[in-house]
Amino acid sequence: MSYPWYKVVGPEIIVSQGDIIPECPVTVLKETDEHPFYTVEGGYKPCVVMTQACDLENGKPKVAEITLCPIEPVINFLQSEVEKKYGNNGQVPYEQIGKKKKANVFDELRKGNYPKFYLLDKFRESGFEFGYHIVSLGKTFKVPVNSLNKIVQESKKDRLRLLPPYREHLANAFAFNYYRIGLPIDIKVEDGEIEAL
């Protein structure tokens, strides 16, 4: 049985969970030293729609804004993480680090061992060239629903849509990133205590 990661949807299809928006207009808040201690800047970033499909379907959204997370090619993450882990904190450049070490970091990412990031599979068909990308789960943007739908319609370009169960897996990773609970004191088991049970 085949479980494809994506399907291609046209610009006339309303935006839904898992849609990859290649150039999404977002606002970014930057810290400053003067009141109100931040500025608002705009820009375009590739993003993936995180808002649940049930809140966006039938053209009658149950929400006013769509939540998006930025995505970027996995090479950006790999270069940074491999240099940090194996490059003596950036002293040894990425190009000089062995392929096996690079593959180890990629595999850890694939297994979900970097909880702030989610790995998206590649897609190369129907005229799309979409390589491995990561979703930055700790960063979010909001865009009005109607505005984003108009943006994708005006683009007149097809886009990729993440399919189940991958979009639900991404949603779970996103939720986990926010509901993690750290305990102040973990359970301490004394030597031999378990054997005595």
Side-chain angles (χ1 to χ4, degrees):
M1 188 167 205
S2 174
Y3 289 97
W5 272 70
Y6 307 98
K7 76 174 178 179
V8 176
V9 294
E12 73 285 356
I13 307 295
I14 62 169
V15 172
S16 188
Q17 179 184 7
D19 281 10
I20 294 172
I21 313 297
E23 291 182 10
C24 186
V26 295
T27 53
V28 179
L29 304 180
K30 301 253 180 159
E31 287 187 60
T32 65
D33 293 331
E34 297 177 15
H35 187 81
F37 305 107
Y38 69 89
T39 60
V40 179
E41 297 179 9
Y44 288 83
K45 291 187 176 291
C47 293
V48 61
V49 174
M50 302 303 298
T51 301
Q52 297 290 308
C54 60
D55 288 334
L56 298 170
E57 61 188 18
N58 301 326
K60 296 178 183 175
K62 298 175 186 159
V63 293
E65 297 175 319
I66 289 178
T67 301
L68 304 116
C69 283
I71 65 172
E72 63 180 290
V74 74
I75 189 65
N76 301 345
F77 171 84
L78 281 179
Q79 286 178 334
S80 171
E81 208 51 42
V82 167
E83 285 180 356
K84 197 184 313 175
K85 190 169 184 176
Y86 297 112
N88 197 15
N89 283 324
Q91 306 253 343
V92 179
Y94 180 79
E95 295 77 25
Q96 294 177 14
I97 298 171
K99 290 180 182 178
K100 188 172 182 180
K101 291 177 179 177
K102 294 172 185 175
N104 286 343
V105 171
F106 185 88
D107 200 46
E108 289 297 308
L109 176 64
R110 183 188 60 78
K111 289 177 182 175
N113 293 336
Y114 289 93
K116 291 190 179 284
F117 301 99
Y118 185 87
L119 180 64
L120 294 174
D121 200 2
K122 64 185 180 300
F123 181 82
R124 291 191 175 99
E125 51 186 86
S126 304
F128 278 87
E129 277 292 321
F130 184 77
Y132 294 110
H133 278 68
I134 58 160
V135 180
S136 296
L137 300 170
K139 297 178 184 175
T140 60
F141 304 107
K142 295 229 179 215
V143 175
V145 174
N146 293 332
S147 300
L148 191 57
N149 276 313
K150 287 176 185 174
I151 288 165
V152 298
Q153 287 169 1
E154 284 183 2
S155 77
K156 296 185 169 77
K157 293 181 182 174
D158 292 344
R159 65 189 182 277
L160 292 180
R161 176 172 287 171
L162 197 58
L163 295 174
Y166 310 106
R167 75 174 185 196
E168 285 76 14
H169 194 252
L170 170 59
N172 186 61
F174 179 67
F176 178 76
N177 194 57
Y178 289 95
Y179 73 67
R180 290 177 293 135
I181 299 170
L183 299 176
I185 301 173
D186 202 358
I187 298 171
K188 294 182 181 175
V189 179
E190 304 292 329
D191 285 341
E193 195 174 7
I194 299 301
E195 291 83 359
L197 295 177

